[in-house]
Amino acid sequence: MRINRNFTLIWCSFLISQIGDWMLKIALPLLVYAKTQSAAQMASIYGVSFLPWLFFSLVGGLLADRGNKQTILVVGNLVSFVAVFIMLVAFEIPATPLWLIYVLVFMQSSIDPLTHPSFQSILPEVVQDDKIVTANTDIQLIDNTLTLIGPLVGGALAALLNPRVAIIVDAISFLVAGIFVIALRYKVPSHIQATQNILQYIREGFVYAYSDKIVWNGAVLFFFTNFATNLFEADFMFFITKTLGYSSFLAGITIAISGIGALAGGIVAPIINRHYSTGRIITSTTVLAGIALMLMFFAHNFIVVGLLYAVANLFSNINVITYFSLRQKIVPDLILGRVVSVTRMISYVSIPLGAFFGGILVDKGVSLFVVFLLAGIIRFVIGAYGSSTPLGKSGSSATEKTK
């Protein structure tokens, strides 16, 4: 976090908004259930909150490369502040139709894909190239830590404070996060060209992402990685409680153990990046994560399952940090926002596909042990394939940034 003043402000903004987001993730399903008494409606809220990534990622990339990234992040946080309060008011009115709740959740969830490319592309503008891995590690550690403790703390606060109060805290978190971004000492890059045709601008993002085979093969690798992960992730709690027969408490312990692996990955990623080429790190960690998942085929104890999943998460987090840093280094600033949005959209498309296909396998009576094995094989194969591509052969000499 102590890279420079601007990064510290961005880090604090991200931390505060993510804490608020975890409050919302816990409180929103509780409010939906209180209104509908339907578990299916609770699950549907997740799907609705994910859809904006498919619709607005490209728009977010366009905004990042054509506008003032600081302004986009400030406006995004302020709009989220207002949207969450409107959502709360809607819940307070008993006559509010459920479809309106869904519309409001969709609108609030649309802010993230619109601002994420600006967030990713502003980092290399405020952080020196030799500090970019450390910066991404510090950002990723927030995600990993909150994934580990978020359900516990968020659930406790939602229960103690009342879900409505938790949503108020979420709204305020966006306001505070926006204030931190306002304090940035940020100068708009001179390459901004707001007069260019919008469709041509978007097309350039696709063309660059495809033409740069390091970036493109990275997007393909993450497409299959996300597909494999989501084959089993939605059914992981079911696996622990029903297939293995453990209590929900021990299921929580298993998830906590797996989260420790992600935290460890964030800690060791900068060290590994100082000693090995980026391509070798990305492809090797994909292969190793695949092996860890394949070994879960033989795991029947919750501790063993947690440890193997922790190993997979350790390699996955090193993988993510390294690829994000590589992409930020090799892609020119003037097109980075669009490239981030294109690669993010490609990798996210596979998330519902993997969940849907995994659900079909389970419905057809396929054992989750077999699903773990299949997920591991997919990650192993795509990692092995990636090692033969320009991504796998990229090294420190390939990370010179084109300004």
Side-chain angles (χ1 to χ4, degrees):
M1 190 182 74
R2 300 175 182 175
I3 295 174
N4 59 45
R5 176 183 179 276
N6 276 344
F7 178 74
T8 299
L9 290 170
I10 290 174
W11 187 91
C12 290
S13 174
F14 184 71
L15 172 64
I16 292 169
S17 65
Q18 289 299 104
I19 291 174
D21 266 353
W22 264 107
M23 299 288 287
L24 185 64
K25 285 178 183 178
I26 300 296
L28 186 57
L30 294 176
L31 289 173
V32 170
Y33 184 78
K35 184 178 181 65
T36 65
Q37 299 299 305
S38 170
Q41 297 293 349
M42 292 176 66
S44 297
I45 285 293
Y46 171 79
V48 171
S49 65
F50 171 78
L51 285 176
W53 284 99
L54 303 181
F55 293 107
F56 300 123
S57 288
L58 291 178
V59 179
L62 178 68
L63 291 173
D65 288 340
R66 289 173 66 97
N68 185 320
K69 298 179 182 68
Q70 181 182 22
T71 300
I72 292 169
L73 294 174
V74 170
V75 171
N77 278 297
L78 295 182
V79 171
S80 291
F81 165 72
V82 174
V84 172
F85 261 117
I86 293 174
M87 192 187 307
L88 178 62
V89 172
F91 276 111
E92 289 295 318
I93 302 174
T96 302
L98 187 61
W99 66 264
L100 182 58
I101 299 293
Y102 275 80
V103 170
L104 292 173
V105 171
F106 180 88
M107 292 175 63
Q108 193 278 327
S109 301
S110 299
I111 305 302
D112 204 14
L114 290 172
T115 57
H116 176 78
S118 292
F119 178 79
Q120 278 287 309
S121 57
I122 200 174
L123 284 178
E125 294 178 5
V126 301
V127 175
Q128 295 177 342
D129 283 358
D130 61 348
K131 298 292 185 181
I132 198 67
V133 173
T134 302
N136 279 302
T137 299
D138 289 347
I139 293 295
Q140 202 67 25
L141 279 174
I142 294 175
D143 262 345
N144 297 329
T145 303
L146 292 180
T147 299
L148 178 62
I149 67 173
L152 176 63
V153 177
L157 290 177
L160 292 173
L161 299 178
N162 181 304
R164 289 172 173 80
V165 178
I167 288 185
I168 293 174
V169 172
D170 177 49
I172 295 174
S173 74
F174 284 117
L175 181 62
V176 176
I179 292 173
F180 272 106
V181 179
I182 290 174
L184 286 176
R185 296 169 183 166
Y186 177 72
K187 182 180 180 181
V188 181
S190 59
H191 60 69
I192 298 298
Q193 299 176 8
T195 59
Q196 190 171 354
N197 179 274
I198 292 178
L199 292 179
Q200 175 65 20
Y201 220 64
I202 294 176
R203 179 179 175 275
E204 286 179 358
F206 273 102
V207 170
Y208 185 95
Y210 180 73
S211 63
D212 189 318
K213 296 308 178 183
I214 294 176
V215 172
W216 180 255
N217 282 288
V220 172
L221 183 144
F222 279 102
F223 175 92
F224 285 100
T225 292
N226 286 340
F227 179 84
T229 300
N230 283 274
L231 281 175
F232 66 84
E233 198 155 80
D235 294 311
F236 190 73
M237 285 291 290
F238 177 86
F239 173 72
I240 300 297
T241 57
K242 301 300 181 183
T243 304
L244 298 183
Y246 290 105
S247 66
S248 57
F249 173 76
L250 292 180
I253 296 296
T254 306
I255 294 174
I257 293 172
S258 69
I260 293 173
L263 285 175
I267 294 172
V268 303
I271 300 172
I272 293 176
N273 271 268
R274 288 196 292 268
H275 295 89
Y276 299 97
S277 68
T278 52
R280 179 179 297 180
I281 293 171
I282 293 169
T283 56
S284 296
T285 51
T286 302
V287 168
L288 292 170
I291 293 174
L293 291 179
M294 285 190 282
L295 289 175
M296 289 175 72
F297 178 80
F298 304 99
H300 292 79
N301 178 279
F302 78 98
I303 295 178
V304 177
V305 171
L307 290 174
L308 287 173
Y309 202 7
V311 172
N313 285 339
L314 181 148
F315 291 125
S316 295
N317 205 24
I318 296 171
N319 186 299
V320 168
I321 291 170
T322 304
Y323 178 70
F324 280 11
S325 302
L326 174 64
R327 184 178 59 189
Q328 289 163 341
K329 287 180 179 180
I330 67 175
V331 177
D333 289 341
L334 78 167
I335 202 170
L336 180 58
R338 282 165 288 168
V339 172
V340 167
S341 67
V342 169
T343 54
R344 184 82 162 193
M345 186 180 69
I346 292 171
S347 64
Y348 266 43
V349 165
S350 65
I351 292 176
L353 294 177
F356 177 72
F357 187 63
I360 291 178
L361 292 176
V362 174
D363 285 344
K364 295 295 183 181
V366 177
S367 167
L368 279 166
F369 290 103
V370 176
V371 175
F372 281 122
L373 181 63
L374 177 61
I377 291 173
I378 292 173
R379 293 195 68 170
F380 182 93
V381 171
I382 192 62
Y385 165 77
S387 65
S388 66
T389 68
L391 172 69
K393 298 173 182 177
S394 62
S396 57
S397 61
T399 61
E400 290 298 323
K401 187 174 182 69
T402 305
K403 293 291 184 183

